[in-house]
Amino acid sequence: MTLRTETTLPGYARAAVAMKTRMHEYCASTAGHEYHRAFVETRWAALFPTDGDDAADPNHKLVDVLDRANSMVWAHGEAFVIAPAMTAVVAAGAEALDLTGDLLTADAAPTDGGVLFLPEPIYHRTLAGRVSGIAAITWTTIASPRGRSWLICGWAHRDDPDDPHATRIQAYARQDPTLLSRLGPYVLTDVNVLPIAQPVPAVDPPDVEEPDRDWETAPDGRYVITDATARTHVCAAIAYAFWRIQAQPIAVAAPAPLDRAARRRAARASIVHDTRVVMLRRTSAVAEPCDGPARWHYRVRFVVRGHWRRLIDRHGQAYRIWIHAHIKGPDGAPLLHGEKVAVLAR
């Protein structure tokens, strides 16, 4: 059972609860702990060199945080599913996002902990050129000496035939037949941290002096966000873009009904089974409010790219809304086309 094969609200609900149950069991297992340890040692070995089996070394502490946080969020986090038609909107918002210096409040996320499923993954290309599908994102709050933060994790679907990361796993499995039995249905591929009530740090600029690499290609027609141009870490950007967009009139979050048998299985496993499917709301365009008579009018129509707009709420807190790409100008006016040039370069 996978979310990529579902098309109905009950189907999404059943698949989401099944995946949450399996992932909770996996993250709480010895196999999950071993994967977290290998992930941390591979990813941050240069930053946090290990010191034997000393339980005080940074690697051990980070693995322990991942063990507890991921096991908890897969069990108790509320589930959200992005309908495929909504994926491009969230991806565009994430790619255009720059949170550098922003102060995020604790209520920026819809819940303290959650699981976001993407039946149509958004693809992430690293600076090394590797591509991985982001088929799920989890977030949960954690405490540290520097204050509270969101721990945001990106997960690839282990068996997605279109995902280059899944293809690599299958290649490793041919060398080690026991590998697949030691993995959950989703595989951790990225970890980001967003501070709460502290300025979001800037993303380190890419190393432009390194030689060219042979980049992996993503499946045709899929949205790819690359670390080379991202101004906010990719998984954190997708999570924040989803948090904001799902709360706007452009989207509607429909509760997905779960059948009695699945609900009972979730209750026995202590899994939160509430699931909401986030879809595009079918609305007509609404003109922006203005004060007084118009001082000009457009004689042509033109395309306005999607962008973030900063606003201030009644309590003086800054927040953002996503303005979706749209055509501006009077009905029937000529459509102004811009010129676009595509350059193919290695």
Side-chain angles (χ1 to χ4, degrees):
M1 178 182 293
T2 65
L3 279 92
R4 22 189 339 265
T5 59
E6 300 295 339
T7 57
T8 65
L9 295 184
Y12 282 138
R14 285 193 302 270
V17 170
M19 292 297 102
K20 287 186 64 191
T21 303
R22 292 175 59 188
M23 285 302 297
H24 166 62
E25 294 171 351
Y26 165 70
C27 290
S29 69
T30 301
H33 170 77
E34 290 301 318
Y35 185 90
H36 285 152
R37 184 171 62 83
F39 178 87
V40 169
E41 290 177 355
T42 302
R43 187 75 177 271
W44 290 289
L47 296 178
F48 305 123
T50 56
D51 185 17
D53 293 328
D54 185 3
D57 73 68
N59 279 358
H60 182 94
K61 294 179 180 179
L62 184 52
V63 172
D64 184 58
V65 169
L66 290 175
D67 285 345
R68 289 184 285 103
N70 286 336
S71 177
M72 183 278 297
V73 74
W74 281 106
H76 305 299
E78 187 171 342
F80 299 83
V81 179
I82 295 183
M86 194 74 183
T87 304
V89 179
V90 173
E95 189 174 40
L97 186 64
D98 184 2
L99 290 176
T100 303
D102 281 16
L103 292 173
L104 306 183
T105 58
D107 59 355
T111 57
D112 285 342
V115 179
L116 174 62
F117 291 101
L118 294 92
E120 183 175 301
I122 298 172
Y123 286 83
H124 173 203
R125 178 178 283 116
T126 67
L127 294 177
R130 286 197 164 189
V131 173
S132 299
I134 302 175
I137 286 180
T138 58
W139 69 86
T140 185
T141 55
I142 58 173
S144 71
R146 296 182 179 180
R148 293 180 67 204
S149 300
W150 284 294
L151 179 70
I152 301 172
C153 297
W155 306 79
H157 197 286
R158 187 193 70 184
D159 300 320
D160 185 348
D162 299 326
D163 188 351
H165 191 82
T167 301
R168 291 193 292 270
I169 292 175
Q170 296 299 326
Y172 297 145
R174 286 191 288 270
Q175 302 173 13
D176 180 3
T178 67
L179 176 63
L180 295 182
S181 65
R182 303 198 306 271
L183 297 176
Y186 292 97
V187 179
L188 181 66
T189 59
D190 200 11
V191 175
N192 299 157
V193 174
L194 274 181
I196 299 175
Q198 297 183 38
V200 176
V203 174
D204 294 333
D207 187 353
V208 296
E209 297 182 357
E210 292 191 8
D212 291 342
R213 302 180 176 90
D214 292 328
W215 282 12
E216 291 180 337
T217 57
D220 291 341
R222 301 300 182 89
Y223 215 107
V224 183
I225 305 177
T226 173
D227 282 337
T229 57
R231 289 163 290 180
T232 298
H233 291 296
V234 173
C235 287
I238 295 172
Y240 183 86
F242 167 74
W243 295 346
R244 296 305 312 157
I245 292 172
Q246 62 86 31
Q248 293 181 214
I250 190 177
V252 57
L258 189 65
D259 60 76
R260 181 179 299 178
R263 192 162 55 247
R264 287 179 174 175
R265 287 194 298 271
R268 286 196 297 269
S270 299
I271 301 295
V272 172
H273 54 74
D274 295 332
T275 301
R276 283 184 277 175
V277 179
V278 181
M279 302 173 288
L280 279 171
R281 186 188 299 272
R282 304 298 181 185
T283 59
S284 58
V286 178
E288 296 183 6
C290 58
D291 297 326
R295 296 176 181 268
W296 65 82
H297 64 276
Y298 297 111
R299 297 180 181 274
V300 296
R301 291 180 298 150
F302 56 95
V303 177
V304 179
R305 296 179 59 185
H307 59 279
W308 291 98
R309 176 177 295 169
R310 293 176 177 269
L311 299 173
I312 303 294
D313 66 17
R314 60 182 180 179
H315 303 296
Q317 298 287 342
Y319 69 101
R320 301 168 185 254
I321 61 172
W322 174 250
I323 307 299
H324 194 38
H326 61 281
I327 295 177
K328 194 166 187 176
D331 293 339
L335 179 60
L336 184 64
H337 293 280
E339 294 185 357
K340 184 179 293 185
V341 178
V343 179
L344 299 181
R346 187 178 184 279

